[in-house]
Amino acid sequence: MQTLLGGLDPADFLDRHWQKRPLLVRAAFPHWADPLVPEELAGLACEANVNSRLVLERGGEQPWQVEYGPHAEQRFLDLPETHWTLLVQDVDRHVPAAATLLEPFGFLPDWRVDDVMVSYAAPQGSVGPHVDAYDVFLVQGRGRRRWEISTQPVAPDNVMPGLDLRILRDFHAEQVFELGPGDMLYLPPGVAHHGIALEPCMTYSVGFRAPTHTELLEGVLEHALDELGDAEARYADPDLCLPAHRSEITAEALARIRDRIQHLCLDPARSARWFGRYVTAPQGTSLVEAPEEPLADVAALAVRAEQAGGLWRDPACRFAFVREGEALWVFAHGEAQRVPAAAAEGAAWLCDQRHYPAATLAAHWAGPLGALLLNWYNHGYVRDDTF
């Protein structure tokens, strides 16, 4: 872990750098090996269920032209020799080897993880100087890339007009780093950066989601409407007192309104269940396939797991939990299930893992945990193969 963070332990990193200042780590991954090759990345970009973009700084109809996937194979044969970049989102959900890149970042909450985006850039390939609104760890794979960064505030109107990308009009680098395989650069939200491929190269961006306030409000309001018990229930004031002024909205009336809104939208238990579903819900292309023949009981699943050597979480699935007293609410792929106190710690362990060895599972088949695993298996959230 200290290699990953340049000699810092996770607590020091969170205190000194997380959402505060950049961190360059040489040889963060000292034994680096790319989990996929450029041809595999291009193949993913040709698939309809994969989110990809091709950015041409030159050679398009306009500078910094963006072409969205799926792409035809011939398109890659027709590209110029320089100044273009292919970006593919959610590679961790399509390539199991890429999903292992998330494991070293397990000191950060799983619900904050967004995805592993992988880019391949031809020489001089770039997506221009820009700002991201989220934390990102930029891990360099094959080849070399130069990163220029600036921690100065960026004005909202500092954008080149008429382009497909939000590229900064004025960008002046404060620091310049050249990264090679296994090096890593952490950037907090709002730090302007510009990466330029010095040779054909691949970069792995481990991004962390940060919902906007608008997204949070839309989500919680939609959830409140979905769970509204009596759609015809209305505001009531049986304790109404004679007002001093007929046009005044009294403090008592406002208190009643706040109480109703609090109860409908911000009740702690209700909002916790909403948020667990929200942050584990499938995003974009995060689809899972349920088995063609669901298993009838836990005993059948135990046999499958024993034969396979365990169970594996589908890389497209996100798990999380919240505590409710001694019990847990467990969330998987946007669904919620309550687990009683007696099985709470076992359920927390299941949420933390991506591989469940058969020998370890032997202690979990009985009771609520066996039922939880069977439900996950029959929905495709866990499987008896390594994908």
Side-chain angles (χ1 to χ4, degrees):
M1 182 59 69
Q2 289 192 333
T3 300
L4 177 75
L5 299 174
L8 299 175
D9 63 34
D12 287 337
F13 169 79
L14 293 176
D15 182 56
R16 300 181 192 178
H17 292 277
W18 180 254
Q19 301 209 329
K20 302 174 186 70
R21 57 182 62 87
L23 176 66
L24 172 68
V25 182
R26 297 292 184 189
F29 293 83
H31 307 292
W32 175 262
D34 284 278
L36 73 169
V37 297
E39 291 77 10
E40 291 176 284
L41 190 69
L44 281 175
C46 296
E47 297 182 12
N49 66 331
V50 174
N51 185 353
S52 65
R53 293 168 292 162
L54 192 58
V55 178
L56 291 89
E57 179 182 358
R58 302 179 185 176
E61 296 180 2
Q62 65 177 22
W64 305 106
Q65 178 175 306
V66 178
E67 299 176 9
Y68 292 92
H71 305 277
E73 292 184 17
Q74 184 62 39
R75 183 70 184 99
F76 294 106
L77 300 177
D78 296 336
L79 290 170
E81 294 185 1
T82 64
H83 292 87
W84 61 266
T85 301
L86 172 66
L87 304 103
V88 181
Q89 302 285 156
D90 301 323
V91 175
D92 53 304
R93 298 168 192 176
H94 300 284
V95 179
T100 63
L101 188 58
L102 296 173
E103 289 302 308
F105 301 97
F107 63 94
L108 295 165
D110 275 355
W111 72 263
R112 287 283 265 118
V113 175
D114 191 3
D115 74 334
V116 177
M117 182 185 75
V118 182
S119 67
Y120 172 82
Q124 299 303 307
S126 169
V127 296
H130 64 284
V131 171
D132 292 324
Y134 50 84
D135 303 87
V136 63
F137 293 86
L138 300 163
V139 182
Q140 186 59 34
R142 65 172 61 197
R144 306 191 70 81
R145 181 183 288 271
R146 183 174 72 247
W147 285 103
E148 303 172 351
I149 69 171
S150 172
T151 58
Q152 296 302 308
V154 176
D157 61 350
N158 182 5
V159 178
M160 295 177 64
L163 300 181
D164 294 341
L165 298 174
R166 289 184 59 82
I167 294 177
L168 299 181
R169 182 183 62 253
D170 299 313
F171 173 76
H172 305 284
E174 294 177 327
Q175 295 177 286
V176 179
F177 308 110
E178 185 176 311
L179 272 63
D183 292 342
M184 182 179 76
L185 177 63
Y186 162 72
L187 296 176
V191 173
H193 53 288
H194 186 196
I196 304 169
L198 303 180
E199 58 193 25
C201 72
M202 296 181 75
T203 303
Y204 299 77
S205 303
V206 181
F208 288 77
R209 67 186 303 184
T212 66
H213 293 172
T214 298
E215 291 169 338
L216 291 175
L217 284 172
E218 288 177 343
V220 75
L221 289 173
E222 181 180 352
H223 177 73
L225 289 170
D226 288 342
E227 291 207 341
L228 194 61
D230 183 359
E232 298 302 319
R234 294 176 180 270
Y235 171 81
D237 50 5
D239 56 347
L240 180 64
C241 297
L242 191 65
H245 299 276
R246 60 189 290 183
S247 57
E248 180 182 4
I249 302 173
T250 64
E252 291 78 11
L254 292 172
R256 293 188 199 98
I257 294 296
R258 283 194 298 269
D259 179 70
R260 285 295 83 201
I261 293 174
Q262 176 79 25
H263 174 73
L264 293 171
C265 299
L266 301 177
D267 172 75
R270 184 178 296 175
S271 59
R273 291 194 297 273
W274 159 72
F275 192 67
R277 292 188 182 101
Y278 176 77
V279 296
T280 60
Q283 303 176 62
T285 59
S286 301
L287 302 177
V288 298
E289 295 184 5
E292 293 184 3
E293 298 183 7
L295 297 181
D297 53 43
V298 174
L301 180 58
V303 171
R304 288 280 183 92
E306 183 65 31
Q307 293 173 340
L311 298 174
W312 286 260
R313 185 197 303 190
D314 189 299
C317 287
R318 295 285 186 258
F319 293 173
F321 69 87
V322 297
R323 298 188 185 274
E324 184 180 73
E326 298 296 321
L328 297 185
W329 277 96
V330 172
F331 308 96
H333 212 54
E335 294 189 359
Q337 188 169 345
R338 191 177 186 277
V339 176
E345 291 311 308
W349 179 82
L350 292 176
C351 288
D352 283 344
Q353 308 306 310
R354 283 162 175 77
H355 173 223
Y356 312 99
T360 306
L361 285 176
H364 295 297
W365 291 124
L369 296 182
L372 182 66
L373 284 165
L374 181 63
N375 178 59
W376 287 355
Y377 182 87
N378 283 339
H379 280 84
Y381 305 158
V382 298
R383 295 166 56 173
D384 56 356
D385 58 56
T386 56
F387 312 98

